[in-house]
Amino acid sequence: MNEVSLWTGFWPFTPERFAIWVGAILTLCIYSFLYRDNPFYKFAEHLLVGVSAGYWALIYWNANIVGQLLVPVLRGGVLLPLVPGVLGLLMFTRFFPRFAWISRYAIAFYVGGYAGLAIPSYMQARVLAQVHAAMAPTVSITAALLLIGLICSLLYFFFSREHKGVLGGASRIGIWFLMVGFGASFGYTVMARVSLLIGRMQFLFRDWLGLIR
Amino acid sequence: MDGRLCRAAGFPAGPGLAALSPRVASRIPPALRCIAPEAAVRDMVNPRRPALLAAVLRAAGSARSLVLLIPLVGVLLIPHARAEVAVGPATPLDLSAVSPAPPANIRASDTPNDGGGAITLRWDLSPDDGAGLGTVTGYVISRVDTSGGEPMLLAALGPGVDTYVDSPVEDGTPYTYFVTAMAGDVASRGAGGTSALAGPQWFNFGRTSVLVSIVGFAALLIWFISRARRGTELFIRKIAGLEAVDEAVGRATELGKPILYVSGLNPMDDVATLAAINILGRVARRAAEYGSKLVVPCYDPMVMAVEQEVVKEAFLEVGRPDAYREEMVFYVTNSQFGYTAAVDGIMVRDRPATNFFMGYFYAESLILAETGASTGAIQIAGTDAVAQLPFFITACDYTLIGEELYAASAYLSREPLLLGSLKGQDWAKLILVVLAITGAVLSVARFDWFRGLFAAR
């Protein structure tokens, strides 16, 4: 970084240039946490939380209240969205301690409905699809490893017996399979995180300071 | 085929071919047999002119010969061209101008196993699609609804395609469909329309295996829960991460520091979130008993509402409703890294003695776990996010891996209802192991029907 590049990076002062400066300063404020907690980090943290909370409130309002309740009911004449609308209104009874119990009905609908939606999809995607894939109609090392890995990993999560004897041996193989999988996942994810860091560095050194082209 | 080609092109089929010797007739390309044969075959039966022209070209060989060559070529070619014009259409037939045969047996029917709003079209490929003339370049699907009018173009499909699903359509409204084979810009003729109505079905037969699995699993659960309620002793092996929960809460009490509980970033539809909320109930009960401070920052407002109820109930259960504070469970933001920054801030400022990270996490997992580790807190994590488990395993003291997270609430509470459900899950796993081995053996022996039972659509 030198004086000339900073000056040329700041001038002419356009809205885009201003946005880059704000982004760069906030990035440095957040990175200052690597040293220790400090006022710059606190400022950036509170700003981020406040702005994002406001942003998401607006998203919720537009996507859910306007998009899924007001427009279908008032313009489309569809009455069904009124049911979740009323349940949503019940949630506001939490602000009145005397009537707060009413909000539990809305929560009950919400939890029950979501659990009902989730269980079939979990059964299909995480149980049946896995078993289906393990029954590969080929004789190969990969297919055998997949089947052995599935069985041993399942046995590791068998809680009704102590892991001794055959079950103990199988579950030990299972945890090895799991750890090998986690190791591969670790390496893969670290690579993805490094690419995120590179992106931020490019923002600082190219877009902000203009030190790299 | 030759006859149809000829008629389509406006010629009688193969006149005069019979007059030719079989040897000569066999040398005429099929596509040319319908046009005046004497013109088509002239160059074959009297090939001297092209041969002579080639000989002259070979002899030319030098720039000086060009002076002689130009008039000579003219002498050779002009009578030839004149003869072509005089005889008639001797150019090969342009097949792209011929209408392809239409697709046959067009069927329209309500798409099965759906919630309505879709009609499936099927047809037999045009005889000219890949065979016959081989000129079909695709199919055009059009539709007319009850209001009539011009057909509306729905899709242009490639050759060899014999199925199309029209969606969305209005349930109960009759639609008439037309399928036209195309040869370039030329459409097939005479394709009649076929009609169908769309409607929802009560049951998706493609997911029968899911229903059977859920019913079987539920039966197992009910059986084991009833056994647990009758007082049968149900053994559960030790799970180290869960054994540490009480110890971690106790440590926070001894140090006089708060307990931080993070229940992941997913909403209520995630099983991991439900499991995390169950564990929160247990942690809150212990915190209420020991008088520890509980801090529960939330990412999702609905999860916050549920967690407030759970924590409140836990404090009520242990007879400490006075100790419950609504601000123990609070909403932060729906922004992933805004939430992460806030939780990091809580960890470095409030210095909780114990951090719980239970539920589903994304990229923030390592940031949270590393910050917590740097503060010296005892950390217990549990998630079924496979990509994030490695980070928790490396940065936390105890990690519940996938199924252990689901088992946690039963393990911690020892309630018959939850213990029975855990036993049911165990037996379901055993059944799956047996089915997987059986299926693999049968599949290798080419009995694929068994494997097909597990393929849900």
Side-chain angles (χ1 to χ4, degrees):
Chain A
M1 181 167 51
N2 58 56
E3 229 176 288
V4 175
S5 66
L6 263 180
W7 179 247
T8 52
F10 191 71
W11 197 260
F13 188 74
T14 59
E16 292 77 18
R17 182 59 52 191
F18 177 69
I20 288 173
W21 270 81
V22 170
I25 290 169
L26 288 175
T27 300
L28 292 179
C29 287
I30 291 287
Y31 278 175
S32 69
F33 186 73
L34 293 170
Y35 168 61
R36 58 183 297 178
D37 190 29
N38 63 73
F40 295 108
Y41 176 76
K42 280 180 190 166
F43 168 74
E45 173 202 328
H46 287 94
L47 188 69
L48 180 57
V49 170
V51 168
S52 60
Y55 173 77
W56 279 101
L58 203 66
I59 293 281
Y60 272 126
W61 173 261
N62 277 321
N64 298 336
I65 307 296
V66 176
Q68 295 188 33
L69 180 64
L70 296 182
V71 170
V73 172
L74 299 179
R75 288 195 192 161
V78 185
L79 297 179
L80 200 59
L82 284 176
V83 176
V86 170
L87 287 171
L89 283 175
L90 293 184
M91 289 300 292
F92 285 95
T93 59
R94 298 176 67 78
F95 292 117
F96 311 99
R98 199 176 158 193
F99 302 106
W101 59 272
I102 298 174
S103 69
R104 289 187 165 204
Y105 286 101
I107 294 173
F109 265 94
Y110 183 71
V111 175
Y114 259 139
L117 276 173
I119 288 169
S121 55
Y122 267 72
M123 182 61 84
Q124 182 173 337
R126 296 200 176 186
V127 179
L128 295 180
Q130 298 273 347
V131 175
H132 182 261
M135 297 176 188
T138 53
V139 181
S140 66
I141 293 174
T142 312
L145 279 177
L146 183 68
L147 184 63
I148 293 168
L150 174 78
I151 292 166
C152 293
S153 301
L154 273 175
L155 291 176
Y156 171 76
F157 293 111
F158 190 76
F159 302 110
S160 296
R161 292 272 183 281
E162 285 290 359
H163 284 181
K164 292 174 183 168
V166 176
L167 182 63
S171 66
R172 266 191 296 280
I173 296 171
I175 197 69
W176 272 98
F177 267 97
L178 289 171
M179 289 304 154
V180 168
F182 292 152
S185 175
F186 190 100
Y188 176 77
T189 314
V190 165
M191 279 168 58
R193 301 290 162 79
V194 169
S195 73
L196 286 178
L197 178 67
I198 290 169
R200 203 85 303 243
M201 289 299 124
Q202 280 181 336
F203 170 73
L204 289 177
F205 291 110
R206 185 185 61 198
D207 301 348
W208 182 44
L209 296 177
L211 292 179
I212 55 173
R213 298 285 167 202
Chain B
M1 183 188 74
D2 292 336
R4 188 164 60 79
L5 252 178
C6 297
R7 282 191 295 278
F11 296 109
L17 270 182
L20 301 172
S21 71
R23 190 176 67 82
V24 172
S26 68
R27 292 174 61 190
I28 303 173
L32 300 181
R33 288 178 191 173
C34 58
I35 60 178
E38 53 275 30
V41 302
R42 185 195 311 108
D43 285 343
M44 297 173 192
V45 296
N46 185 16
R48 278 178 299 172
R49 277 200 181 92
L52 186 57
L53 176 62
V56 169
L57 285 171
R58 278 196 299 274
S62 68
R64 280 181 300 176
S65 304
L66 281 176
V67 180
L68 290 172
L69 183 66
I70 293 166
L72 187 57
V73 169
V75 169
L76 287 167
L77 288 183
I78 288 167
H80 179 74
R82 191 177 294 152
E84 288 286 302
V85 171
V87 171
T91 51
L93 177 62
D94 181 9
L95 291 179
S96 67
V98 179
S99 291
N105 196 19
I106 302 167
R107 293 94 70 195
S109 57
D110 176 33
T111 301
N113 302 320
D114 69 352
I119 290 174
T120 300
L121 271 175
R122 289 189 176 83
W123 58 91
D124 296 345
L125 294 179
S126 160
D128 294 332
D129 185 353
L133 299 181
T135 53
V136 170
T137 54
Y139 296 89
V140 168
I141 315 297
S142 51
R143 183 184 81 190
V144 178
D145 60 17
T146 42
S147 60
E150 287 296 309
M152 185 175 81
L153 177 68
L154 293 178
L157 310 172
V161 179
D162 60 1
T163 311
Y164 176 73
V165 177
D166 182 19
S167 175
V169 295
E170 269 188 47
D171 290 342
T173 302
Y175 292 95
T176 304
Y177 292 90
F178 299 91
V179 182
T180 311
M182 300 297 296
D185 294 335
V186 183
S188 61
R189 295 172 193 157
T194 180
S195 300
L197 297 170
Q201 280 77 50
W202 284 101
F203 185 71
N204 181 352
F205 285 93
R207 301 182 74 184
T208 308
S209 56
V210 177
L211 178 70
V212 171
S213 313
I214 291 175
V215 169
F217 183 52
L220 268 177
L221 290 188
I222 292 167
W223 162 251
F224 278 104
I225 288 169
S226 64
R227 279 192 68 194
R229 281 188 168 154
R230 284 199 301 269
T232 309
E233 189 69 28
L234 298 176
F235 173 81
I236 301 290
R237 74 168 168 85
K238 278 179 82 170
I239 302 173
L242 295 175
E243 288 287 309
V245 168
D246 287 351
E247 177 197 329
V249 176
R251 181 174 182 263
T253 311
E254 285 168 10
L255 293 173
K257 290 182 173 180
I259 299 160
L260 177 72
Y261 195 97
V262 178
S263 57
L265 268 63
N266 268 6
M268 289 302 302
D269 65 333
D270 193 353
V271 178
T273 308
L274 294 171
I277 290 171
N278 276 332
I279 299 170
L280 173 63
R282 166 75 174 195
V283 171
R285 269 193 292 278
R286 283 282 175 269
E289 282 170 1
Y290 299 159
S292 305
K293 188 184 171 193
L294 187 62
V295 180
V296 188
C298 294
Y299 175 82
D300 184 281
M302 278 308 291
V303 172
M304 179 199 76
V306 176
E307 289 185 341
Q308 280 179 340
E309 287 296 318
V310 167
V311 173
K312 190 176 180 181
E313 202 168 296
F315 275 72
L316 275 170
E317 271 179 26
V318 297
R320 295 292 310 278
D322 55 305
Y324 172 74
R325 296 280 179 277
E326 203 157 70
E327 57 269 23
M328 284 176 176
V329 185
F330 56 94
Y331 172 71
V332 180
T333 173
N334 257 101
S335 161
Q336 181 189 13
F337 288 108
Y339 177 80
T340 309
V343 175
D344 275 0
I346 291 168
M347 284 194 274
V348 295
R349 280 162 224 146
D350 295 353
R351 298 264 163 183
T354 304
N355 297 333
F356 287 98
F357 304 113
M358 301 285 178
Y360 200 93
F361 291 85
Y362 296 88
E364 72 289 343
S365 63
L366 185 58
I367 302 172
L368 293 174
E370 276 296 329
T371 306
S374 72
T375 63
I378 184 169
Q379 301 199 103
I380 303 176
T383 185
D384 56 357
V386 178
Q388 310 309 326
L389 271 167
F391 300 124
F392 282 140
I393 289 170
T394 49
C396 293
D397 299 282
Y398 299 96
T399 304
L400 304 175
I401 302 170
E403 185 76 9
E404 290 176 338
L405 172 68
Y406 307 150
S409 47
Y411 185 89
L412 291 170
S413 67
R414 303 276 164 176
E415 287 175 22
L417 182 79
L418 297 174
L419 274 180
S421 68
L422 187 57
K423 280 282 178 185
Q425 288 173 47
D426 268 0
W427 280 93
K429 281 174 226 160
L430 273 189
I431 292 169
L432 284 176
V433 167
V434 172
L435 289 175
I437 294 170
T438 311
V441 171
L442 288 175
S443 294
V444 169
R446 300 291 166 203
F447 291 105
D448 283 338
W449 60 269
F450 188 80
R451 185 171 185 251
L453 294 177
F454 294 85
R457 291 178 294 277

